[in-house]
Amino acid sequence: LVRDTPGGPDLTLTLSWSGRLLDDTAARRLGQDWLDLLSGLAAHTTDPAAGGHTPSDFSLFGLAQSQIDDLEAGFSDEER
């Protein structure tokens, strides 16, 4: 769950598991690893070079990734 707070978005992770498959220690470790990965992914999105559009963003137009890259380069604010 991501909740907007005055300090910014707050990520809360709630997991449940079968005690027959994982003991509490393994489940906590797995949960912490998953939370660390999600936190790293969220931090990555703040990088201006991160992300970009993909064909799924424009499914109605049937654009290939190379076409999207060309369009974005054509509308870039960066000097060429």
Side-chain angles (χ1 to χ4, degrees), residues 9 37-52:
L37 288 169
L38 289 175
S39 296
L41 180 60
H44 172 72
T45 64
T46 63
D47 182 342

Side-chain angles (χ1 to χ4, degrees), residues 3-74:
R3 188 178 1 192
D4 288 326
T5 69
D10 182 49
L11 175 64
T12 301
L13 179 65
T14 303
L15 299 173
S16 60
W17 63 92
S18 169
R20 292 182 298 193
L21 297 175
L22 294 174
D23 62 24
D24 287 352
T25 300
R28 280 191 195 94
R29 186 173 52 246
L30 179 61
Q32 187 61 56
D33 288 348
W34 183 245
L35 186 58
D36 291 345
L37 288 169
L38 289 175
S39 296
L41 180 60
H44 172 72
T45 64
T46 63
D47 182 342
H53 295 100
T54 66
S56 65
D57 294 316
F58 306 102
S59 60
L60 294 176
F61 297 103
L63 296 174
Q65 185 64 51
S66 60
Q67 293 170 303
I68 295 168
D69 294 342
D70 290 344
L71 285 168
E72 288 182 337

